[in-house]
Amino acid sequence: VKQFNQVSLWIATEIVTIGNLKKRVSALKHLIIMGQKLIKMGNFNAALEVAAGIQQSSVQRLKKTWKLLPKKFKDTVNYFEYIMDGHGNFKNYRKELMAHGLPCLPYFGIFLRDFTFIEDSYKTFVEDDKINFYKMKKLCSLIRDIQFYQTHPFTYQVNESVES
């Protein structure tokens, strides 16, 4: 979560520190395209870092920048907002994640949020110091979900022009 926040803040900082309006619009376009490609690759963690950086209030206040941004890029930013919407326990994000298939790298912060919810919502022990098996079942299910995303490695083709 700390790295997620650092990267999204870095992205916002990079955008707002570009003094030239056309260069700032170009950088914003580049980041939006990068976010799209990250989602297509299945790297939801990095894609949401980019989206969170773009959605920082300091970036959102750049009215002239947003005015020059073409509609298709604004539509993509709206898609990022749709995915990051926390309503319904992040149902849009979860739907996109499941639709993508493997391999993919989910945003781990959602898992941490789920662990916290289970820990805070259910007692570990119930009457007569008996283990709350319902809570343990929920925790096991969440751990199984995390393990599921670790079953398929990413495979990339080497791009010789980048390597040299």
Side-chain angles (χ1 to χ4, degrees):
V1 174
K2 182 179 177 183
Q3 180 180 336
F4 182 96
N5 293 336
Q6 287 175 332
V7 171
S8 62
L9 184 60
W10 171 75
I11 286 171
T13 302
E14 288 300 311
I15 294 169
V16 299
T17 56
I18 299 172
N20 182 294
L21 180 60
K22 287 184 180 182
K23 288 183 181 179
R24 188 168 50 241
V25 170
S26 177
L28 186 56
K29 284 181 190 178
H30 178 76
L31 288 165
I32 292 167
I33 291 168
M34 186 170 71
Q36 281 180 310
K37 288 183 179 182
L38 287 165
I39 288 174
K40 186 176 180 180
M41 289 172 48
N43 190 341
F44 286 86
N45 189 70
L48 294 180
E49 287 172 343
V50 171
I54 291 170
Q55 293 174 349
Q56 292 275 339
S57 61
S58 57
V59 176
Q60 293 296 309
R61 287 192 301 257
L62 300 171
K63 301 294 183 200
K64 291 178 183 176
T65 303
W66 289 101
K67 189 174 183 176
L68 288 180
L69 192 69
K71 183 185 181 324
K72 72 177 185 173
F73 291 97
K74 291 177 186 174
D75 290 344
T76 303
V77 172
N78 289 336
Y79 171 69
F80 292 157
E81 290 173 4
Y82 167 81
I83 290 176
M84 291 180 66
D85 183 14
H87 290 87
N89 196 19
F90 290 90
K91 70 176 182 176
N92 299 335
Y93 163 76
R94 293 175 195 272
K95 185 176 85 174
E96 292 290 323
L97 186 64
M98 291 307 286
H100 184 276
L102 295 175
C104 71
L105 179 63
Y107 171 52
F108 198 70
I110 299 290
F111 289 119
L112 295 176
R113 183 180 182 276
D114 292 345
F115 276 120
T116 302
F117 175 78
I118 293 169
E119 184 62 31
D120 291 347
S121 298
Y122 305 101
K123 293 181 180 181
T124 303
F125 297 98
V126 290
E127 57 195 57
D128 298 327
D129 288 332
K130 294 178 184 172
I131 294 173
N132 183 348
F133 279 96
Y134 182 74
K135 177 180 180 176
M136 298 306 134
K137 184 179 175 182
K138 295 285 243 181
L139 288 171
C140 287
S141 176
L142 189 53
I143 291 167
R144 201 173 303 118
D145 288 347
I146 293 170
Q147 289 175 327
F148 171 75
Y149 291 109
Q150 297 174 341
T151 60
H152 288 77
F154 283 90
T155 54
Y156 297 106
Q157 294 197 3
V158 176
N159 185 335
E160 299 294 334
S161 65
V162 174
E163 235 184 33
S164 44

